[in-house]
């Protein structure tokens, strides 16, 4: 792929014979997403990772100077801090790096590309040419992957009353939740987000192209990582009263040839004995989609399985980083 001049990586060291590898700075690398990104970046031999001294981390001048040296900044910060850093980047003019934000601050912003490359056939190209990309949330990655192809295919009405159920390992809940589970003070399992205002709802609705706000019921279990996102459907209430095979075909068509998203064969779903566990894809950037359907009862449950720290966070960030820097996928 040939990039336009405006998207060519900066030369990080202009001395003779110096490396021209693109440079990356991870701002906020102490949380689970940031640590995961750093770990994955250590396996990349075609990027240079820059860092800032701990005592300079909140020094705007020092941060700006570092960002002028890099091609891409990955933000792993709380929403307000991410907004402040993006404002600083915006003030840098031609010296500004590209930015990939892992917070929820810009996921529905119209001038940001949404970092789910498999969203539509042209989404990866949008990410490649974007200056600003928002990394998706873990739950929305599963929900959107299941719903958007069915809406696009006309099988699921945009105003359908969608319910999304999900369970994640506790690593997705931040330092406080992790500490509570690891010291034994947290319950074995709990529902949460029952105030109908979960922060992942806006992006899930927008990128699934639903006109009716879905009901989203997340939960957390006493295990570290791994996620299941499920959508129950009454087939006779869908457009054209499709079969489970029809839903499966629409998903398979959308993700045909995808490196990271796999639509599992219907026979695999049937032979799983009506069970599926959440940890099988841990430490990967993979996303598996299943259709469990009953012709007898005209019902189906769509299921997405992923690592909430992989395709749901750090893995997706590195995938987006490589697109934004014009690097080959690997």
């Amino acid at each position: 792929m040939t990039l336009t001049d405006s998207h060519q990586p900066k030369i990080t060291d202009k001395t003779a014979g110096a490396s021209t590898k693109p440079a990356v700075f991870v701002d906020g690398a102490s949380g689970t997403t940031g640590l995961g990104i750093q770990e994955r970046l250590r396996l990349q031999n075609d990027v240079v990772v820059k860092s800032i001294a701990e005592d300079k981390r909140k020094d705007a001048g020092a941060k700006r100077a570092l960002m002028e040296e890099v091609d891409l900044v990955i933000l792993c910060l709380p929403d307000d801090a991410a907004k402040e850093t993006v404002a600083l980047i915006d003030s840098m003019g031609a010296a500004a790096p590209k930015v990939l934000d892992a917070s929820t601050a810009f996921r529905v912003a119209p001038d940001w590309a949404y970092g789910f490359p498999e969203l539509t056939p042209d989404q990866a190209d949008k990410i490649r040419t974007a200056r600003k990309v928002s990394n998706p949330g873990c739950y929305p990655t599963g929900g959107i992957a299941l719903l958007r192809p069915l809406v696009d295919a006309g099988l699921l009405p945009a105003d359908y009353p969608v319910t999304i159920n999900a369970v994640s390992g506790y690593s997705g809940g931040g330092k406080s939740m992790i500490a509570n589970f690891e010291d034994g003070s947290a319950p074995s399992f709990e529902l949460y987000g029952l105030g109908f205002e979960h922060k992942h709802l806006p992006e899930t609705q927008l990128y699934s192209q639903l006109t009716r706000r879905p009901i989203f019921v997340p939960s957390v279990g006493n295990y570290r990582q791994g996620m299941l996102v499920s959508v129950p459907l009454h087939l006779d209430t869908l457009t054209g009263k499709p079969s489970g095979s029809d839903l499966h075909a629409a998903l398979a068509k959308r993700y045909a040839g995808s490196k990271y998203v796999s639509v599992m064969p219907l026979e695999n779903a049937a032979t799983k004995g009506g069970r599926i566990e959440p940890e099988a894809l841990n430490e990967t950037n993979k996303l598996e989609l299943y259709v469990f359907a009953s012709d007898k009862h005209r019902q189906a449950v769509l299921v997405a399985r992923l690592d909430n720290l992989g395709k749901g966070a750090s893995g997706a960030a590195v995938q987006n980083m490589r697109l934004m820097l014009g690097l080959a996928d690997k």
Side-chain angles (χ1 to χ4, degrees), residues 166-187:
V167 61
S168 174
Y170 59 76
S171 58
K175 292 181 179 179
S176 177
M177 180 178 284
I178 292 171
N180 289 341
F181 273 94
E182 293 187 346
D183 69 15
S185 62

Side-chain angles (χ1 to χ4, degrees), residues 101-123:
D101 179 40
S103 79
T104 62
F106 301 102
R107 288 184 185 158
V108 297
D111 55 337
W112 286 64
Y114 190 60
F116 183 30
E118 298 85 2
L119 177 68
T120 57
D122 63 347
Q123 191 66 20

Side-chain angles (χ1 to χ4, degrees), residues 235-266:
L235 297 177
D236 287 346
T237 66
L238 302 181
T239 303
K241 299 184 178 181
S243 65
S245 296
D246 294 328
L247 303 182
H248 183 271
L251 293 174
K253 181 178 179 180
R254 169 58 55 86
Y255 301 111
S258 173
K259 179 176 181 178
Y260 297 111
V261 181
S262 300
V263 180
M264 308 309 287
L266 276 172

Side-chain angles (χ1 to χ4, degrees), residues 177-217:
M177 180 178 284
I178 292 171
N180 289 341
F181 273 94
E182 293 187 346
D183 69 15
S185 62
S188 296
F189 177 87
E190 65 179 350
L191 300 180
Y192 67 101
L194 296 175
F196 301 94
E197 296 292 344
H198 193 281
K199 63 182 181 180
H200 286 166
L201 270 166
E203 65 183 287
T204 301
Q205 181 177 1
L206 177 64
Y207 296 109
S208 297
Q209 293 201 330
L210 298 173
T211 58
R212 184 194 298 265
R213 183 180 177 88
I215 293 176
F216 174 46
V217 185

Side-chain angles (χ1 to χ4, degrees), residues 33 37 40 72 74 76 100 102 115 135-136 285 310-324:
T33 298
I37 291 171
R40 284 169 168 80
L72 176 71
I74 303 176
C76 301
L100 173 62
N135 212 52
N285 193 47
K311 185 60 171 168
S314 305
V318 172
Q319 182 185 357
N320 285 321
M321 176 204 76
R322 298 190 67 82
L323 285 170
M324 295 174 76

Side-chain angles (χ1 to χ4, degrees), residues 142-151 155-156 160 162-166 208 227-235 238 242-252 255 263-264 266 269 276 287-294 299-305:
I144 294 165
L146 293 168
L147 293 166
R148 178 65 178 267
L150 304 185
V151 174
L155 297 174
L156 184 75
Y160 191 84
V162 169
T163 297
I164 303 169
N165 303 296
S208 297
M227 172 173 285
L228 297 174
V229 181
S230 60
V231 179
L233 296 170
H234 291 275
L235 297 177
L238 302 181
S243 65
S245 296
D246 294 328
L247 303 182
H248 183 271
L251 293 174
Y255 301 111
V263 180
M264 308 309 287
L266 276 172
I276 186 169
L287 169 64
E288 291 179 347
L289 306 180
Y290 294 83
V291 177
F292 296 88
S294 168
Q299 294 174 327
V301 178
L302 313 177
V303 181
R305 174 160 63 183

Side-chain angles (χ1 to χ4, degrees), residues 267-288:
E267 56 267 29
N268 276 15
T271 58
K272 282 187 170 291
R275 297 171 182 266
I276 186 169
E277 56 86 19
E279 300 178 274
L281 299 181
N282 284 0
E283 309 302 337
T284 76
N285 193 47
K286 295 179 179 179
L287 169 64
E288 291 179 347

